[in-house]
Amino acid sequence: MKRSKQVLIPRLIKSPSFALKSLAVAVSSVLAVGCSTKEEVYIFKSIEECDASGKFTEQKCETAYRKALQEAQKTAPRYKNLKDCEYEFGAQNCQEQKSTAQSFFMPAMAGFMVSQALQGSNYGSSHYYNPLFYHYDRGYSRYKSPKWTTSDGVTIGNSASSKASVRKGDMKPKPAVTRTMSRGGFGSTVAAKTSWGGGSKKSSWGG
Amino acid sequence: MIRLPIEERANWEQKAREYGFKFHTMYGEKYWDESAYYQFTLAQIEEGLEKPTEEIHQMCLHLVDRVVADEVLMRKFRLPEAQWDFIRSSWLNKAPSLYSRLDFCYDGKGPAKLLENNADTPTSLYETGFWQWLWLENSVDAGKLAHSADQFNIVQEKLVNRFIELKAHNPGEILHFACCKETEEDRGTVQYLQDCAEEAGIECRFVYIEDIGVDVHGCYTDLDDIVITWLFKLYPWEFMLNEEFASFLTASRVQFLEPAWKAILSNKAILPLLWEHFPDHPNLLPAYFDETSAAQHLSGSYVKKPVFSREGANIAMFHNGQGIAVSDGPYGEEGFVYQALQPLPKFGSSYTLIGSWLIDNEAVGISVREDSGLITKNLSRFLPHVII
């Protein structure tokens, strides 16, 4: 047979999208009750600490660290001035980042969490690591001890903990949210070419 | 390869509504036409189309390797110099691709001849992968076609599998889908692709090309200010490369589908280059970069095509030096190439074109288009096919 065995996947059948969505929500909330939503993670402050723990191979430690650091660059909270950043994350814990248009401050990654599930796995498509930051609840003081916190502000445990149980969602990568400075820099060719043909609507720019 | 009339499904328009196929009729004209179908033999499909499709695709990839390393060719392909490094590195880094469509002149007897390579923004994918598949199932179930009737169409199955592979390259990433506003057909195509990606377990978001933004770090963003890291764009590279936001292409480090090196494949300049490197290949038509060579070698019978053009726009056909067909459109300012005239075969009162689809490097299915004129355009009718 030279054709797909099956293409009638219900997802492809278009119903009004809100109906589909509410169905999807209902299904997942049912699942949430029956299935484990927690996941065990190890917390490390450095690659060395990860190696020394003997929980993961050297290579996995290094990859997890590197990926978490990349993730931190993308998703760590950003502040316009140093003071605001240090209020949340402590003195000496914030770095200035410069880009072409503007500079801003973000907390340095203080550690990273690695899912226990990585022990038996070879990466694959799941997400096994995320950056962590030292966060000071209601403002930094040198008499307080910080808590481990994710990019989007979920507290994982106090700064002494090296193991934690987190919601599965906390191990997912966070979409990087930012501030858009300008829009409309793509599409100008089409705007120019649409005027051809008496401005009649074009059904496609593909082919 | 024959064209046979068949009774339309009584309820097909209602089905189309149910399945979200909104553009079956465009500008009051029939686009989806199931009053007839094309019938192929297995040999016509496998030897006549499938094999040449994969072979030509490999020949084209070989040429991309040449073009990225050669400034003279990059210039001939009218690619903006500011983006040469960007295009080159997408190739050298083996940025993965999703799909392509090669258009052939094929009558079921002689060798299929390549007319062009839609490697960047092919449309009519939904009609091919899903809608004509459904037509066959329904027609067999209704007893109008034999149970043995098959179709060359593993498009959707391979598409979902390809997305599963791509997901492994981009673990945990959100895939954004984009096309232009007010383009029902493109919007439908992109939605179909998004459905297939979601089927593969990829988290997807949609943004219109015109709504894409840039943040302070030069990252592209969607309307919710979420950074775009992986983008399928149904928008020609030759447009994007020359627009304002092109200056952020490299720094944004976005994984694009199709990758930027597809700007070389989908370029009409690939046609004369193919002929130069693979002269007399049975599936190629002679083609030249300049009109003088064309006039000399093609005895006045050739087709003049813009280097950049979509949907059969701005094409001129000459036979023995006389213009026989012409289409208008907004393209042509970047120059033209000249390809030997090979009129499409006529079935009844229609000229017929075969689109042959690839997912990555694999031939996966065909689509048949008909037009009352010699030039196939975006409104040319789409007809289903069977293999018997």
Side-chain angles (χ1 to χ4, degrees):
Chain A
M1 196 159 87
K2 293 194 75 75
R3 64 181 192 276
S4 305
K5 279 167 211 74
Q6 183 59 264
V7 304
L8 275 177
I9 300 148
R11 197 192 301 270
L12 292 167
I13 299 172
K14 299 290 177 304
S15 320
S17 56
F18 57 85
L20 264 181
K21 265 190 194 134
S22 57
L23 180 69
V25 168
V27 168
S28 62
S29 60
V30 168
L31 282 178
V33 177
C35 305
S36 163
T37 56
K38 289 279 185 179
E39 162 161 30
E40 300 303 311
V41 298
Y42 294 100
I43 299 171
F44 304 112
K45 293 194 221 36
S46 63
I47 300 181
E48 291 73 26
E49 199 180 293
C50 178
D51 285 348
S53 76
K55 302 287 181 201
F56 302 99
T57 63
E58 240 179 275
Q59 198 209 342
K60 277 182 179 172
C61 285
E62 206 190 305
T63 309
Y65 170 80
R66 207 160 30 79
K67 296 269 182 185
L69 197 62
Q70 275 171 16
E71 198 68 23
Q73 284 291 334
K74 267 197 335 210
T75 60
R78 290 167 180 180
Y79 297 87
K80 265 203 174 132
N81 54 60
L82 182 63
K83 222 178 69 206
D84 290 348
C85 184
E86 290 194 334
Y87 177 82
E88 300 277 344
F89 296 96
Q92 320 287 314
N93 277 337
C94 289
Q95 304 160 324
E96 186 173 14
Q97 301 280 323
K98 278 205 171 92
S99 73
T100 43
Q102 210 181 297
S103 80
F104 58 92
F105 297 88
M106 57 203 280
M109 181 173 97
F112 56 105
M113 54 179 178
V114 189
S115 167
Q116 207 171 34
L118 184 61
Q119 281 172 331
S121 161
N122 259 327
Y123 303 105
S125 56
S126 306
H127 207 71
Y128 293 114
Y129 25 73
N130 250 337
L132 290 173
F133 305 90
Y134 281 150
H135 181 253
Y136 294 85
D137 201 20
R138 274 172 287 167
Y140 167 71
S141 143
R142 59 196 176 100
Y143 305 108
K144 283 201 224 168
S145 64
K147 292 210 159 71
W148 287 119
T149 306
T150 63
S151 288
D152 55 349
V154 175
T155 303
I156 300 299
N158 69 50
S159 60
S161 34
S162 60
K163 227 184 140 182
S165 180
V166 302
R167 285 185 308 128
K168 282 212 162 118
D170 293 330
M171 281 314 277
K172 275 181 131 181
K174 316 288 180 269
V177 177
T178 182
R179 252 183 63 211
T180 299
M181 306 307 284
S182 98
R183 293 195 192 278
F186 281 133
S188 56
T189 316
V190 155
K193 290 195 195 291
T194 306
S195 60
W196 160 81
S200 69
K201 234 168 95 178
K202 186 82 175 58
S203 78
S204 169
W205 291 102
Chain B
M1 176 178 176
I2 45 176
R3 185 186 196 275
L4 294 164
I6 189 170
E7 198 191 329
E8 296 184 8
R9 291 167 295 171
N11 59 345
W12 77 261
E13 293 196 36
Q14 187 204 327
K15 265 200 167 59
R17 262 195 306 282
E18 263 170 49
Y19 289 102
F21 184 24
K22 290 186 196 151
F23 48 98
H24 56 75
T25 306
M26 287 193 274
Y27 311 101
E29 304 268 337
K30 203 184 247 186
Y31 165 63
W32 166 256
D33 183 356
E34 60 173 75
S35 64
Y37 64 96
Y38 281 79
Q39 180 177 311
F40 296 84
T41 64
L42 191 58
Q44 283 171 334
I45 293 291
E46 290 186 339
E47 302 301 316
L49 292 164
E50 188 174 359
K51 242 191 213 164
T53 298
E54 293 188 354
E55 188 181 338
I56 288 178
H57 180 67
Q58 288 304 322
M59 284 152 58
C60 287
L61 294 182
H62 170 76
L63 291 181
V64 175
D65 213 37
R66 293 295 184 92
V67 177
V68 294
D70 185 336
E71 295 193 353
V72 175
L73 285 175
M74 289 295 262
R75 220 163 257 131
K76 270 193 168 167
F77 277 63
R78 308 285 168 183
L79 298 165
E81 197 167 340
Q83 301 301 338
W84 285 359
D85 281 342
F86 173 66
I87 298 166
R88 196 176 288 134
S89 56
S90 83
W91 174 251
L92 297 177
N93 296 332
K94 300 188 167 61
S97 81
L98 181 62
Y99 75 139
S100 296
R101 193 191 73 232
L102 301 182
D103 284 344
F104 285 108
C105 178
Y106 183 60
D107 61 3
K109 296 179 218 108
K113 298 283 189 185
L114 177 73
L115 295 176
E116 59 184 65
N117 187 348
N118 287 285
D120 183 18
T121 61
T123 53
S124 73
L125 181 69
Y126 171 88
E127 304 87 293
T128 305
F130 175 68
W131 190 247
Q132 72 168 346
W133 188 97
L134 190 66
W135 167 86
L136 177 63
E137 292 286 301
N138 294 160
S139 302
V140 169
D141 289 347
K144 286 188 253 175
L145 288 170
H147 274 281
S148 57
D150 200 357
Q151 196 171 71
F152 184 30
N153 187 6
I154 21 173
V155 172
Q156 185 173 307
E157 198 173 303
K158 293 288 176 177
L159 203 51
V160 173
N161 288 344
R162 181 64 180 151
F163 274 122
I164 291 172
E165 285 170 20
L166 293 173
K167 188 184 174 211
H169 281 268
N170 302 273
E173 301 254 352
I174 295 174
L175 174 55
H176 277 81
F177 284 86
C179 70
C180 283
K181 292 179 179 176
E182 296 183 357
T183 53
E184 201 165 49
E185 187 190 341
D186 288 358
R187 187 68 191 87
T189 302
V190 164
Q191 184 60 52
Y192 176 62
L193 280 159
Q194 184 172 332
D195 287 340
C196 291
E198 280 170 358
E199 189 57 34
I202 297 173
E203 188 178 347
C204 302
R205 294 178 65 92
F206 177 80
V207 61
Y208 282 111
I209 289 284
E210 296 92 331
D211 286 338
I212 290 175
V214 162
D215 74 359
V216 285
H217 323 294
C219 299
Y220 296 117
T221 61
D222 68 14
L223 277 179
D224 293 324
D225 281 355
I226 289 185
V227 172
I228 297 170
T229 56
W230 186 17
L231 176 67
F232 175 92
K233 43 103 226 140
L234 194 67
Y235 190 61
W237 267 119
E238 66 264 22
F239 293 0
M240 273 180 98
L241 291 170
N242 289 294
E243 292 179 351
E244 187 194 337
F245 279 2
S247 53
F248 303 103
L249 283 169
T250 301
S252 74
R253 300 175 63 173
V254 169
Q255 282 280 346
F256 286 99
L257 290 173
E258 294 299 311
W261 54 264
K262 287 283 190 106
I264 294 167
L265 284 195
S266 66
N267 195 301
K268 301 289 187 297
I270 199 87
L271 299 170
L273 200 64
L274 275 167
W275 187 249
E276 213 174 286
H277 283 263
F278 306 97
D280 303 318
H281 187 284
N283 300 114
L284 294 178
L285 291 167
Y288 302 92
F289 280 106
D290 63 289
E291 200 152 14
T292 323
S293 312
Q296 192 187 334
H297 295 286
L298 304 173
S299 54
S301 296
Y302 57 87
V303 183
K304 180 179 172 188
K305 298 178 169 185
V307 168
F308 299 128
S309 163
R310 304 280 150 145
E311 314 262 353
N314 301 93
I315 305 266
M317 284 187 183
F318 298 90
H319 183 59
N320 293 329
Q322 297 289 310
I324 54 166
V326 65
S327 64
D328 56 1
Y331 301 95
E333 61 200 44
E334 289 88 2
F336 296 85
V337 299
Y338 305 85
Q339 188 183 42
L341 177 68
Q342 173 88 17
L344 290 172
K346 212 169 175 185
F347 290 83
S349 55
S350 302
Y351 296 97
T352 304
L353 174 91
I354 306 294
S356 183
W357 294 83
L358 290 135
I359 301 294
D360 194 20
N361 299 327
E362 191 181 348
V364 294
I366 59 163
S367 46
V368 183
R369 301 287 295 272
E370 270 189 357
D371 203 284
S372 52
L374 273 168
I375 302 171
T376 307
K377 306 189 199 67
N378 66 325
L379 296 181
S380 303
R381 294 179 304 278
F382 188 113
L383 278 83
H385 79 274
V386 302
I387 309 172
I388 302 240

